[in-house]
Amino acid sequence: MSHDEDHITSTREKLVRMANQIATFFHSKPREEGITGVAEHINKFWEPRMRRQLFEMLDGDPEDFDDLVIAASVRIRRPLTAEQADKSLGYARPAEAEGAVPHK
């Protein structure tokens, strides 16, 4: 496994762990309040790229996620594309940022 693959794996594991920690806190609340709390927390504190990665994992194999995370996912704002997630943070590819047209 390359260094980049190690980084991707560790990032994904961290996102799963963080999402599950949020859910653990909200298990002390009634179920509906817990679902709402998980979704609100992720929407408020996770940047779009993190939410995009969360949905990539949930769409692929959600078995590592706490049930409250899975239930809350319908209320979490889903960035449509990687580019949308980046643009929402003010990032753009260099050609777009400068208004240049890429060479063919």
Side-chain angles (χ1 to χ4, degrees):
M1 189 180 295
S2 74
H3 175 70
D4 288 340
E5 289 172 336
D6 288 340
H7 176 71
I8 290 168
T9 300
S10 64
T11 299
R12 291 179 184 274
E13 289 171 355
K14 288 177 187 175
L15 288 175
V16 170
R17 187 176 68 245
M18 289 188 321
N20 288 343
Q21 286 175 331
I22 296 164
T24 297
F25 172 81
F26 283 104
H27 273 293
S28 63
K29 309 287 185 189
R31 180 153 174 86
E32 188 61 31
E33 188 178 337
I35 292 169
T36 300
V38 170
E40 286 178 353
H41 183 91
I42 291 174
N43 283 327
K44 185 174 182 180
F45 296 107
W46 285 30
E47 68 174 27
R49 290 178 295 181
M50 293 170 68
R51 287 185 277 115
R52 181 180 51 83
Q53 288 179 326
L54 172 72
F55 281 109
E56 287 173 359
M57 291 183 288
L58 286 170
D59 291 344
D61 187 10
E63 74 179 24
D64 291 333
F65 287 98
D66 186 283
D67 181 55
L68 277 183
V69 175
I70 295 168
S73 67
V74 297
R75 299 181 188 177
I76 297 170
R77 291 188 303 271
R78 178 190 288 250
L80 298 178
T81 64
E83 291 78 22
Q84 179 189 17
D86 287 343
K87 284 181 182 178
S88 69
L89 293 171
Y91 297 115
R93 289 180 287 180
E96 291 176 355
E98 298 170 10
V101 177
H103 297 287
K104 293 184 179 185

